[in-house]
Amino acid sequence: RAVIECPLEVAKVRRQTGQNWEFRSLYKGFGVTWLRTIPLLTTFVILFDTQRRHKSELFKSPVLGPFLISGVSATFAWWLVWPFEYMKSQVQGNYGKDLPLFQRMRLIVRERGGFFALYRGLGPGTIRSFISNGCSMIVMANAQRKVSEWGLR
């Protein structure tokens, strides 16, 4: 996922900060993107699968169950990795220039008000995560149901 996501995120962050992006910088921040993505997806899959096994009655509802389970699982996973998401945006937006990741994190903590400065933007990120992942799972669950009905699975 990081291989595909990183260039798109670089372009997005650079445009949001009024900077130009160049083709050669499309993978800037790949290391922190990858570092964020591994625990993000691992946590999501574990939480989602656990809830699916132990709360299977929720999946009988084609909308509410998948929406809630996916939204909660993804959002909790994002909360865990949010400092790396924030660092990814800082790297891609050139804040702190070319500092190594953990020096950059110390700089943020020191200059922007302590540990919780690493969670800047968590509110909007939570809303986006819950809604987008919840909606995505509704589509996925209904697509899987149709594929099964058509005998393709």
Side-chain angles (χ1 to χ4, degrees):
R1 173 177 165 167
V3 171
I4 295 167
E5 190 174 43
C6 191
L8 299 172
E9 289 288 318
V10 167
K12 179 190 82 164
V13 168
R14 292 286 174 94
R15 297 310 301 155
Q16 287 175 333
T17 57
Q19 300 176 52
N20 293 324
W21 59 271
E22 300 168 344
F23 189 76
R24 68 176 180 219
S25 69
L26 286 180
Y27 280 93
K28 183 166 184 148
F30 176 78
V32 70
T33 302
W34 186 66
L35 188 62
R36 174 215 64 189
T37 300
I38 291 171
L40 172 71
L41 292 179
T42 302
T43 302
F44 170 77
V45 169
I46 289 169
L47 292 174
F48 184 81
D49 187 59
T50 299
Q51 291 182 78
R52 191 172 200 168
R53 290 172 192 245
H54 298 291
K55 303 280 186 194
S56 59
E57 67 278 359
L58 285 175
F59 275 88
K60 292 179 180 151
S61 164
V63 176
L64 188 58
F67 181 84
L68 289 175
I69 288 175
S70 183
V72 167
S73 298
T75 301
F76 184 76
W78 274 110
W79 289 350
L80 290 177
V81 301
W82 195 261
F84 293 115
E85 170 65 15
Y86 185 59
M87 287 299 97
K88 175 200 63 78
S89 296
Q90 296 297 302
V91 168
Q92 292 173 339
N94 286 329
Y95 177 77
K97 298 300 174 205
D98 293 324
L99 292 173
L101 176 64
F102 291 105
Q103 282 183 5
R104 185 183 304 270
M105 289 177 95
R106 280 193 296 273
L107 177 70
I108 296 292
V109 168
R110 193 171 47 249
E111 288 186 356
R112 296 206 175 157
F115 174 76
F116 290 106
L118 296 173
Y119 284 87
R120 188 174 180 179
L122 184 65
T126 295
I127 294 166
R128 186 213 50 84
S129 171
F130 191 79
I131 292 171
S132 68
N133 287 290
C135 290
S136 296
M137 191 51 65
I138 291 170
V139 172
M140 176 77 153
N142 286 304
Q144 286 180 334
R145 195 171 289 118
K146 282 296 179 192
V147 165
S148 293
E149 285 174 12
W150 294 336
L152 300 172
R153 185 174 151 192

